[in-house]
Each structure stands twice: as C-alpha cells, then as structure tokens.
Amino acid sequence: MTAGRDRGGFWRSNSLTLCFGAAFLVVLGAQAVAGRAEFNEQLAVEGLQQIGFGDYLMSSDFAVDVTENWQSEFLQFFLYIFGTVYLLQRGSPESKPLDRAGTESERDQRMGDHARADSPRWAGTKDWRQALYSRSLGLVMAVFFLLSWLAQSISGAAAYNELRLRQLQAPIPWRSYLASSDFWNRSLQNWQSELLAVAAMAVLSVYLRQRGSPESKPVGATHGATGVEG
C-alpha cells in the first residue's frame, strides 16, 4: 500500500462514520428500552395490558419519538449548509472568511473549465448536472428533513389517536393533526434546541479551542481569525 492511501485500513479511514454509526445504534436501542418501560408504565396506570419489546418497536409511540428527533437534526444541517453560503461570523471556524460570502467563483469551486482531473465528473459539466451537484448536499438534507417530518406527522397522528381512543375520544384525521398543538409542540421544541446549538457553536468557537479538531481554530490562532480550521 503506497503512502497517501488508507494506511490504517478501512476501519481507521472510516472511523468517524463507524464510531458515530455504532453509537447511534447503541443509543437508539437504549431509547427503545427506556421508551418501552415508560410506555408500559402509562398502560399500567390506565389498567391496560403491557406490550412486548417487539410490539413497541413497531408502535407509533416509538416511531414518533425517533422521527421527531431525526427531522430536527436534518433541518439543522439543511439550514446550516445553506445559511453559511451567505451568513458569516467573524472569528469562527464555522464561517467562511468575511470576503467570501456567496456562492463563490467557478475557479474557487473548481467547477466547469476549472474542474480538475480528479474532480467529480458532474463538477466539470455546464448544464443542469453541475447546478444540481453543486447544491446536492443541502438538497439531500432538505429531502431527509421533509421525509422525516412527514414520517413524524404520520406516526404522531397515529400515536395521538391511540391516546384519544384510550381516553374514549374520537380520533382525528391526519390533516387536523397537522394543525394540532401536539404536532407543533413536538416540532418546535426540537427546532429551537438545534438553532441554539448552532448559534452557540458559532460564537463559542471564536474564543474557545479544541486542539486537533477541525471544528476548532488552531490553539494559537487569534480570536479574529475567520474560516480557519485546526
């Protein structure tokens, strides 16, 4: 294996994705265990039969808890990806340099005639493929957000109606659930936390450092250095 290639092999070369992916599965499993326990406690209070772990995994209660978090995370990245094209924060490594706001030139982005031999093929085109590829990351995040938000609304409506039936109330249609306080409370409580986290990261990274992290400036960089990563 030559220098410059994956010296550490597959695991080292993909350790960030693999570690966070594994942690995601562990936490998701732990959430399912805790969620089932809480759900069964509610059933016990209401004098109803408790459900097994497999049944809980297929329940709307578990689905809505999962999807409401997914949609807020994808919304965060969608807004961050598109917002940082034009929005700047002096001194933050999360921001571009102050003189580079906007979509930047084709030379800077290695597009069209400025694409290199090792550039993605669609970067060198001059038609819809380049336009689509040059926005593909943000667009995919937007699609993931919309799909997970849709899934949240469907599973949330099912969970909401199950609760209403247990309380001897008539279920409501999906379109009515979209206007309900339950749907918007689930959505907005996650959105505000994600927006706060992004704002905090942008500001705190101006003055604080984490040695070796690309999310931080170099330890000795000035507070005013913008768009510089460690």
Side-chain angles (χ1 to χ4, degrees):
M1 185 175 291
T2 59
R5 292 194 174 183
D6 300 337
R7 293 182 180 179
F10 175 81
W11 295 103
R12 179 178 174 85
S13 300
N14 299 280
S15 57
L16 183 61
T17 300
L18 292 171
C19 286
F20 274 85
F24 161 73
L25 294 176
V26 170
V27 173
L28 182 64
Q31 178 192 343
V33 172
R36 173 180 173 259
E38 180 186 21
F39 188 68
N40 278 334
E41 287 177 3
Q42 295 174 355
L43 293 178
V45 169
E46 297 172 11
L48 300 174
Q49 183 179 0
Q50 298 186 0
I51 63 173
F53 188 70
D55 290 333
Y56 179 73
L57 291 180
M58 301 300 295
S59 71
S60 57
D61 188 85
F62 178 64
V64 69
D65 286 346
V66 171
T67 54
E68 74 174 79
N69 286 291
W70 288 4
Q71 59 89 2
S72 65
E73 296 295 339
F74 286 124
L75 175 66
Q76 177 197 94
F77 284 110
F78 161 67
L79 293 177
Y80 187 75
I81 290 166
F82 273 104
T84 51
V85 174
Y86 298 98
L87 303 179
L88 305 170
Q89 174 58 57
R90 180 185 296 274
S92 176
E94 301 297 314
S95 168
K96 295 192 296 185
L98 301 181
D99 59 349
R100 293 180 60 184
T103 56
E104 304 179 13
S105 67
E106 290 196 350
R107 178 185 297 274
D108 291 334
Q109 289 291 310
R110 303 174 188 175
M111 297 166 55
D113 294 333
H114 302 284
R116 301 177 180 179
D118 58 352
S119 297
R121 184 171 59 181
W122 282 20
T125 62
K126 298 182 179 181
D127 51 23
W128 64 268
R129 292 172 295 175
Q130 184 198 77
L132 179 62
Y133 187 71
S134 64
R135 297 166 177 84
S136 57
L137 181 59
L139 290 174
V140 168
M141 289 297 177
V143 170
F144 284 172
F145 160 65
L146 292 174
L147 289 177
S148 55
W149 199 23
L150 174 63
Q152 177 202 329
S153 72
I154 295 172
S155 57
Y160 186 71
N161 281 329
E162 286 179 9
L163 179 61
R164 288 178 64 87
L165 289 172
R166 295 203 302 268
Q167 297 173 344
L168 304 180
Q169 295 177 311
I172 63 174
W174 174 70
R175 62 180 179 276
S176 297
Y177 179 73
L178 293 182
S180 71
S181 57
D182 184 81
F183 174 67
W184 285 103
N185 180 54
R186 285 181 177 275
S187 297
L188 294 172
Q189 68 177 332
N190 285 283
W191 295 359
Q192 55 86 13
S193 64
E194 300 300 340
L195 295 173
L196 175 62
V198 170
M201 181 64 181
V203 172
L204 293 177
S205 61
V206 175
Y207 304 102
L208 306 179
R209 308 287 187 269
Q210 179 59 57
R211 182 174 179 176
S213 174
E215 299 303 312
S216 167
K217 293 185 289 188
V219 176
T222 64
H223 292 328
T226 307
V228 179
E229 296 180 345

